[in-house]
Amino acid sequence: MKISEILSQDKLSLSFEVFPPKTQDKFEVVSSATTEIAKLKPDFMSVTYGAGGTTAKYTLEIAKGLLDEGVTPLAHLTCVCSTKESILQKLNEFKENGIENILALRGDIPDGTTPSQWDFKYASELVSFIKENGDFCVGGACYPEKHVESSNEKEDLVNLKHKVDCGCDFLTTQMFFDNKKFFEFVDKCRKAGITVPIIPGLKPFSSLGQLEV
């Protein structure tokens, strides 16, 4: 099922995010943990993509496993250091394996490189390319407290509106710590003409150290 269909339903939705392993020897551990989480029957599960595509193989394998468990997968895809040919190959692999939801991201810029060296300089370009090359539901990232590379909130919203206009069906926020920031951000998006669903990205505390000041 496409995530746009899930989000159009008049009910609360729940999703989880999992991180593929960097090496083969850790794959079974992560895969088993993912299967256990899938038993909770979330509406969908997001599978991340390592910097520069370092975990691309495992992203695909875990996403395929989620389909087998009856859970809709959302596969991340970054375009840093990528060519149009390599991204097209990834899209074809997604199609062949029944994966129809993609979170399109630029990704972190590796030291010593600049976006001018790549086929895709911005996530908006990746979004357009995905839409041109398949019937995918495409999500994008957004930042309630402004993207670190934007000079101000107004510029950030203009760029976000452009990315949505390129074909984003929904947005997922960077994690935030103040609910007020999220609600204010959603209000600004609506006033800027951004009407797609906006999913809040939440990270629960997983250790006592994260609560200590």
Side-chain angles (χ1 to χ4, degrees):
M1 177 180 285
K2 290 184 177 179
I3 290 174
S4 55
E5 297 175 84
I6 295 172
L7 298 177
S8 68
Q9 300 172 12
D10 188 21
K11 71 180 186 69
L12 182 69
S13 61
L14 174 68
S15 64
F16 297 109
E17 183 169 275
V18 295
F19 299 83
K22 294 181 180 180
T23 56
Q24 179 65 44
D25 61 308
K26 300 291 193 303
F27 180 80
E28 286 304 322
V29 173
V30 175
S31 180
S32 296
T34 301
T35 299
E36 288 301 310
I37 297 172
K39 290 179 181 178
L40 297 173
K41 296 301 178 185
D43 293 279
F44 64 92
M45 286 180 65
S46 178
V47 188
T48 67
Y49 193 84
T54 52
T55 67
K57 173 184 175 182
Y58 304 122
T59 297
L60 177 60
E61 290 300 313
I62 290 176
K64 286 166 53 181
L66 287 171
L67 278 176
D68 293 339
E69 295 294 327
V71 175
T72 298
L74 169 62
H76 290 212
L77 182 62
T78 64
C79 59
V80 292
C81 305
S82 296
T83 63
K84 290 182 178 179
E85 290 75 17
S86 66
I87 292 296
L88 187 58
Q89 179 182 347
K90 296 289 189 307
L91 296 180
N92 287 333
E93 290 173 352
F94 287 159
K95 292 176 191 175
E96 291 167 4
N97 288 280
I99 296 165
E100 54 185 355
N101 299 290
I102 299 174
L103 186 65
L105 307 162
R106 185 198 66 183
D108 296 329
I109 301 176
D111 293 337
T113 64
T114 63
S116 62
Q117 299 170 309
W118 314 322
D119 285 349
F120 303 92
K121 300 177 182 64
Y122 306 103
S124 57
E125 296 172 344
L126 177 60
V127 171
S128 293
F129 189 78
I130 294 171
K131 285 294 190 178
E132 291 167 2
N133 288 282
D135 184 24
F136 293 102
C137 174
V138 182
C142 59
Y143 304 83
E145 296 176 89
K146 188 179 75 63
H147 190 285
V148 65
E149 294 175 23
S150 292
S151 58
N152 55 64
E153 287 187 355
K154 183 177 180 181
E155 177 189 84
D156 200 37
L157 279 174
V158 168
N159 291 335
L160 182 60
K161 176 68 163 56
H162 174 64
K163 182 162 62 174
V164 171
D165 289 344
C166 285
C168 282
D169 297 290
F170 66 93
L171 297 169
T172 299
T173 75
Q174 173 68 287
M175 64 179 183
F176 54 89
F177 300 98
D178 185 344
N179 288 348
K180 182 180 178 182
K181 292 284 186 182
F182 171 72
F183 294 120
E184 289 176 345
F185 172 73
V186 172
D187 185 54
K188 290 174 184 176
C189 284
R190 301 311 184 217
K191 289 178 179 177
I194 299 170
T195 60
V196 297
I198 300 175
I199 302 171
L202 307 176
K203 187 179 189 319
F205 293 111
S206 56
S207 71
L208 179 61
Q210 292 174 331
L211 292 171
E212 293 176 344
V213 178

